[in-house]
Amino acid sequence: MAAGQRRGGDTKAEIRRVAIELFTERGYEATSLREIAERLGITKAALYYHYSSKENIVLSIFQAHLDALDGLVAWAREQPPGPETLAQAVDRMIDLGVGSGMSAMKFAMANQHVVRELHDHKGRENAFGKMTELFDILIGPGASVEETLRIRSALLSVNMVLMAARDLNASEAEITKAARAIAHTLINPENL
Amino acid sequence: MAAGQRRGGDTKAEIRRVAIELFTERGYEATSLREIAERLGITKAALYYHYSSKENIVLSIFQAHLDALDGLVAWAREQPPGPETLAQAVDRMIDLGVGSGMSAMKFAMANQHVVRELHDHKGRENAFGKMTELFDILIGPGASVEETLRIRSALLSVNMVLMAARDLNASEAEITKAARAIAHTLINPENL
Amino acid sequence: MAAGQRRGGDTKAEIRRVAIELFTERGYEATSLREIAERLGITKAALYYHYSSKENIVLSIFQAHLDALDGLVAWAREQPPGPETLAQAVDRMIDLGVGSGMSAMKFAMANQHVVRELHDHKGRENAFGKMTELFDILIGPGASVEETLRIRSALLSVNMVLMAARDLNASEAEITKAARAIAHTLINPENL
Amino acid sequence: MAAGQRRGGDTKAEIRRVAIELFTERGYEATSLREIAERLGITKAALYYHYSSKENIVLSIFQAHLDALDGLVAWAREQPPGPETLAQAVDRMIDLGVGSGMSAMKFAMANQHVVRELHDHKGRENAFGKMTELFDILIGPGASVEETLRIRSALLSVNMVLMAARDLNASEAEITKAARAIAHTLINPENL
DNA sequence: GATGAATGAGTATTCATTCAT
DNA sequence: TATGAATGAATACTCATTCAT
């Protein structure tokens, strides 16, 4: 009966907001579209009017992040190898986690196997594949396992700090700053 | 005649082994008991003969880890505060990730929301609660956000290195060793 | 500029054309209004501007055929019983399948249960009911089962030949001609 | 609660019986698994215990028919061409519609587009493809369109008579007998 | 120590339809 | 003459779980 009712703002964005919230809190599979719809006060069918599948909701959340990662890989590929490039890459990596990137990263941490199967809609690699690519560009073939893991960890410092910050009363800025500090400690030649 | 046809009698352990494998690879909710049973060549009903629920399979995987964490918290509570205790705690934390603890940790990383809702059968806190407790014991109330995150990250270094080691050809020993090195870099007073 | 971009104004006819095509190929229930709309490059809602329901699209396709059948029944009722009338009825029946009647018949063959439940909007009987009526008029009460089936089959010869012609490179005229020949063979007294 | 209750006879066969009945009466898509389950007094999930999909129910109904058709094609391929072989083929074709084959044929007539997409589980052709193959074997390349359609119609006579017999009080034996008579009339050289 | 048969509650997804604009 | 946004009811299918044997 009451079909076609106009909602307040941007339904599509609202769906994304609620979805990312629930996917992160309770996990992708553990969150049903019914729950998302209910929390929004719309029907499941309305969800499908805006997104053609559950997976597509996730993609819409993640696409920007995937694109940014691609950009970072492309950038890295064109730099001369060396500590300078590494330091800059670490900073850029942390920048990816700023703003809306942060919720995408939290989602990724909480739903790793979903991310592993989530190729972007241009059919390119998933986020883990892109990270591995970045690692390979930045870490020379002669590096020891420990050195490798140190650099990789530096590049993943936002992820780690995000995990460490659970239940801690810290602003996004503080988290980012800590991640930066930690990352640079890890790649500081004096600590090797 | 052919090997692997009949289970050697320890079906329970086989179930645990397959379950942990699948839960870690594809996620807890995304893994059905049917899949586990099929991979083992038994029926779903047989699974229920050995474990009374899906959650209980997870608990059986995780219980030892939960107990060990409890032990660590108890130990920490009795030490005098200070850098010495912190350093030892970090080492003990890393020890938790050795041997069978490592697959429990991988499972936890891949299924964070499951772990959050998994209270052990003695009704005690979940793993994240226990970690928070440990953090609070080891980190003084006056610590800055950055210092706090640094120490927490050190305590979580195995987790991070585990994430960083994806697709890397590294032995468990090498991973543990790297985690130890990274953790100690992070809590080294010279780096603050 | 490009041809076929804008419909020439007769959207209603275009809808019918596409609908009959899809209904016949894939079946009535298996064809959604979305598919019809998409193939036409319009929206589902536009479909509803032209036809008030899915069933009504079918009716618009079928109504002329239903009316023609009614006419044939009325005609038959007024003829004297006998082989002469039967022969003429068979010819008229085949004429129903000429031109636009042919696609209506194909639709009917492919969607028998839809046709059975499709009463025309004047509330008269469905197509199968009308056929049964026609059979009863043309076949005397004393006829044997075999004779009955022979005559009925003759009246249905277009349908059969249509089925038989699947994947055959034959013109409508050839099909009609064959149907006529077959029908007359079946009711030829020498073959009884 | 009341799980695992034992039913009277062979549930699998009962499902097939009810399914074929409904699929034929109301059409494949128009028949939901809920309806089938309800009519059997079991749950939808029980249906899935016995058949892994709706399509598989249909296959289980149709497989024997598909196999028989294959056999007929193989037989035809080995005969010398000529009117004798054709006459025998027609008889064998009609034999396919005897007994349980009859309900399979009724199902096929009522659900042509389903049959078109139903390849057997060995991945071989669908029923229409097999029929076309049979036609090609039995009808020489020089045949006229009319001759071709006559022979094809003879081979399809059971189907036609089945259609013609709707609402007629005729036994299966009578129907088969009429089909045979009609088929032989159609291929009788005197009628060409 | 296991299985075969079943269930109740759920899932993602689709459909015909509506209506304000 | 259309469309964008939505809905209610349905669909095929899956899952964790149960229990008599």
Side-chain angles (χ1 to χ4, degrees):
Chain A
M1 252 144 230
Q5 230 133 239
R6 195 68 65 265
R7 319 196 70 248
D10 192 343
T11 308
K12 231 164 163 136
E14 286 278 279
I15 292 173
R16 247 172 7 240
R17 185 180 56 73
V18 168
I20 206 173
E21 208 172 298
L22 289 177
F23 287 162
T24 305
E25 254 174 50
R26 340 228 260 236
Y28 177 74
E29 284 96 348
T31 303
S32 73
L33 294 184
R34 182 182 48 73
E35 287 174 296
I36 296 178
E38 252 163 32
R39 189 176 275 212
L40 280 164
I42 61 176
T43 59
K44 269 185 292 169
L47 241 46
Y48 275 90
Y49 177 75
H50 294 284
Y51 289 100
S52 60
S53 69
K54 196 183 181 186
E55 206 195 334
N56 264 3
I57 299 181
V58 158
L59 242 184
S60 82
I61 288 169
F62 222 64
Q63 191 60 50
H65 197 65
L66 252 17
D67 286 345
L69 250 181
D70 258 344
L72 178 45
V73 169
W75 171 88
R77 215 182 276 290
E78 285 167 11
Q79 302 314 115
E84 190 58 24
T85 293
L86 177 57
Q88 282 181 47
V90 159
D91 278 328
R92 282 171 185 255
M93 189 70 215
I94 288 163
D95 289 342
L96 292 192
V98 166
S100 72
M102 180 146 289
S103 49
M105 271 194 167
K106 279 180 187 166
F107 168 87
M109 292 292 294
N111 292 283
Q112 299 181 27
H113 60 277
V114 175
V115 168
R116 194 178 322 140
E117 263 140 50
L118 192 72
H119 294 246
D120 68 26
H121 58 220
K122 287 142 204 150
R124 291 173 309 199
E125 249 172 337
N126 67 33
F128 285 117
K130 292 183 210 286
M131 284 304 296
T132 306
E133 228 182 311
L134 187 63
F135 292 157
D136 289 346
I137 296 169
L138 293 170
I139 305 174
S144 70
V145 168
E146 188 177 322
E147 204 182 345
T148 300
L149 286 173
R150 208 174 256 273
I151 299 178
R152 285 185 173 204
S153 294
L155 287 161
L156 292 172
S157 65
V158 203
N159 302 278
M160 175 165 59
V161 173
L162 236 29
M163 239 179 74
R166 179 188 294 282
D167 283 330
L168 184 68
N169 206 348
S171 72
E172 197 191 302
E174 287 171 314
I175 287 175
T176 307
K177 187 154 155 281
R180 223 175 280 275
I182 285 174
H184 286 287
T185 299
L186 290 179
I187 59 172
N188 185 341
E190 289 182 13
N191 290 321
L192 294 178
Chain B
M1 248 148 225
Q5 191 82 353
R6 279 280 108 231
R7 262 168 307 293
D10 204 351
T11 309
K12 245 174 146 116
E14 284 282 277
I15 292 173
R16 253 179 353 249
R17 184 182 57 74
V18 168
I20 209 173
E21 206 171 301
L22 289 176
F23 288 162
T24 303
E25 256 173 47
R26 343 228 260 233
Y28 176 73
E29 284 96 348
T31 303
S32 71
L33 295 185
R34 182 181 46 73
E35 287 174 295
I36 296 176
E38 254 162 31
R39 188 174 276 213
L40 282 165
I42 61 176
T43 60
K44 266 189 295 173
L47 243 43
Y48 275 89
Y49 178 80
H50 294 284
Y51 289 100
S52 63
S53 71
K54 194 183 182 187
E55 209 194 334
N56 267 358
I57 298 181
V58 155
L59 250 181
S60 83
I61 287 169
F62 221 62
Q63 192 59 53
H65 197 64
L66 251 18
D67 287 346
L69 250 182
D70 262 343
L72 178 45
V73 170
W75 171 88
R77 215 182 276 291
E78 283 166 11
Q79 303 312 111
E84 191 56 25
T85 294
L86 178 56
Q88 283 181 45
V90 158
D91 278 328
R92 283 170 184 255
M93 188 73 214
I94 288 163
D95 289 340
L96 292 192
V98 165
S100 73
M102 179 147 288
S103 51
M105 270 194 166
K106 281 182 185 165
F107 167 87
M109 293 291 293
N111 293 281
Q112 299 180 28
H113 61 276
V114 175
V115 168
R116 193 180 322 137
E117 262 140 50
L118 190 74
H119 295 249
D120 68 31
H121 59 218
K122 290 143 198 150
R124 292 172 308 194
E125 249 173 335
N126 68 33
F128 285 116
K130 291 184 211 287
M131 283 304 296
T132 306
E133 227 182 311
L134 187 63
F135 292 156
D136 289 347
I137 295 168
L138 293 169
I139 305 171
S144 71
V145 168
E146 188 176 323
E147 204 182 346
T148 301
L149 288 173
R150 208 173 255 272
I151 299 177
R152 285 185 173 205
S153 295
L155 288 161
L156 292 171
S157 65
V158 202
N159 302 278
M160 174 165 60
V161 172
L162 237 31
M163 241 179 73
R166 178 188 295 280
D167 282 329
L168 184 69
N169 206 347
S171 72
E172 200 190 300
E174 285 171 313
I175 286 174
T176 307
K177 187 155 155 280
R180 225 175 277 275
I182 285 173
H184 285 286
T185 300
L186 289 179
I187 58 172
N188 184 344
E190 288 181 13
N191 290 321
L192 294 179
Chain C
M1 247 149 229
Q5 191 82 354
R6 276 285 108 226
R7 262 166 310 291
D10 204 350
T11 309
K12 247 177 144 109
E14 284 282 278
I15 292 173
R16 255 181 348 250
R17 183 180 59 73
V18 168
I20 208 173
E21 207 172 299
L22 290 176
F23 288 162
T24 303
E25 255 173 49
R26 340 229 260 235
Y28 177 74
E29 283 96 348
T31 302
S32 73
L33 295 186
R34 182 180 48 71
E35 285 173 295
I36 295 176
E38 253 164 32
R39 189 176 275 214
L40 283 164
I42 62 176
T43 60
K44 265 189 297 173
L47 244 44
Y48 275 89
Y49 178 79
H50 294 285
Y51 289 100
S52 63
S53 72
K54 196 184 181 187
E55 208 194 335
N56 268 358
I57 299 182
V58 155
L59 250 181
S60 83
I61 287 169
F62 221 62
Q63 192 60 53
H65 197 65
L66 251 18
D67 288 345
L69 249 182
D70 261 343
L72 178 47
V73 169
W75 171 88
R77 214 183 277 289
E78 284 166 11
Q79 302 313 113
E84 191 56 26
T85 293
L86 178 57
Q88 282 180 47
V90 158
D91 278 328
R92 281 171 185 256
M93 188 72 213
I94 287 163
D95 290 340
L96 291 193
V98 165
S100 73
M102 179 146 287
S103 51
M105 271 194 166
K106 279 181 187 167
F107 168 87
M109 293 290 294
N111 293 282
Q112 299 180 25
H113 61 277
V114 176
V115 168
R116 192 180 323 137
E117 261 140 51
L118 190 73
H119 295 250
D120 68 31
H121 59 219
K122 290 146 200 149
R124 292 172 308 195
E125 251 173 335
N126 68 33
F128 284 117
K130 292 184 211 288
M131 284 304 296
T132 307
E133 228 182 311
L134 187 63
F135 292 156
D136 289 346
I137 295 169
L138 294 169
I139 305 172
S144 71
V145 168
E146 189 177 323
E147 204 183 345
T148 301
L149 286 173
R150 208 174 255 274
I151 300 177
R152 284 185 173 204
S153 294
L155 287 161
L156 291 172
S157 66
V158 203
N159 302 277
M160 175 165 58
V161 172
L162 237 31
M163 240 179 75
R166 179 189 294 281
D167 281 330
L168 184 68
N169 205 349
S171 72
E172 199 191 301
E174 287 172 313
I175 286 174
T176 307
K177 188 154 153 282
R180 226 175 277 277
I182 285 174
H184 285 287
T185 301
L186 290 180
I187 58 172
N188 184 343
E190 289 182 12
N191 291 321
L192 292 180
Chain D
M1 252 145 230
Q5 230 132 238
R6 195 67 68 265
R7 320 196 70 248
D10 191 343
T11 308
K12 231 162 164 141
E14 287 278 277
I15 292 173
R16 248 173 6 240
R17 184 180 58 72
V18 168
I20 207 173
E21 207 172 298
L22 289 176
F23 287 162
T24 304
E25 256 173 48
R26 342 229 258 237
Y28 177 74
E29 284 96 349
T31 302
S32 73
L33 294 185
R34 182 182 48 72
E35 287 174 295
I36 296 178
E38 253 163 31
R39 190 176 275 213
L40 281 165
I42 62 175
T43 60
K44 269 186 292 169
L47 242 45
Y48 275 93
Y49 177 75
H50 293 284
Y51 289 100
S52 61
S53 69
K54 196 184 180 187
E55 207 195 333
N56 264 3
I57 299 181
V58 158
L59 243 183
S60 82
I61 288 170
F62 222 64
Q63 190 60 50
H65 197 64
L66 252 17
D67 286 345
L69 252 180
D70 258 344
L72 179 46
V73 169
W75 171 88
R77 216 183 275 290
E78 285 168 11
Q79 302 314 113
E84 190 57 26
T85 292
L86 178 56
Q88 282 180 45
V90 159
D91 277 328
R92 281 171 185 256
M93 188 72 214
I94 288 162
D95 289 342
L96 292 192
V98 165
S100 73
M102 180 145 288
S103 50
M105 272 194 166
K106 280 181 186 165
F107 168 87
M109 292 292 294
N111 293 283
Q112 299 180 26
H113 61 275
V114 175
V115 169
R116 194 178 323 140
E117 263 141 49
L118 190 73
H119 295 247
D120 68 26
H121 58 220
K122 288 143 203 149
R124 292 173 308 198
E125 249 172 337
N126 66 33
F128 286 117
K130 292 184 210 286
M131 283 304 297
T132 307
E133 229 182 312
L134 187 63
F135 292 157
D136 290 346
I137 296 169
L138 294 170
I139 306 174
S144 70
V145 168
E146 190 177 322
E147 204 184 344
T148 300
L149 286 173
R150 210 174 254 273
I151 300 178
R152 284 186 174 205
S153 294
L155 286 160
L156 291 171
S157 65
V158 203
N159 301 277
M160 176 167 56
V161 172
L162 236 29
M163 240 178 76
R166 180 188 293 282
D167 283 330
L168 183 68
N169 207 347
S171 73
E172 199 191 301
E174 287 171 314
I175 287 175
T176 306
K177 188 154 153 281
R180 224 175 279 276
I182 285 174
H184 286 286
T185 300
L186 290 180
I187 57 172
N188 184 343
E190 290 182 14
N191 291 320
L192 292 180

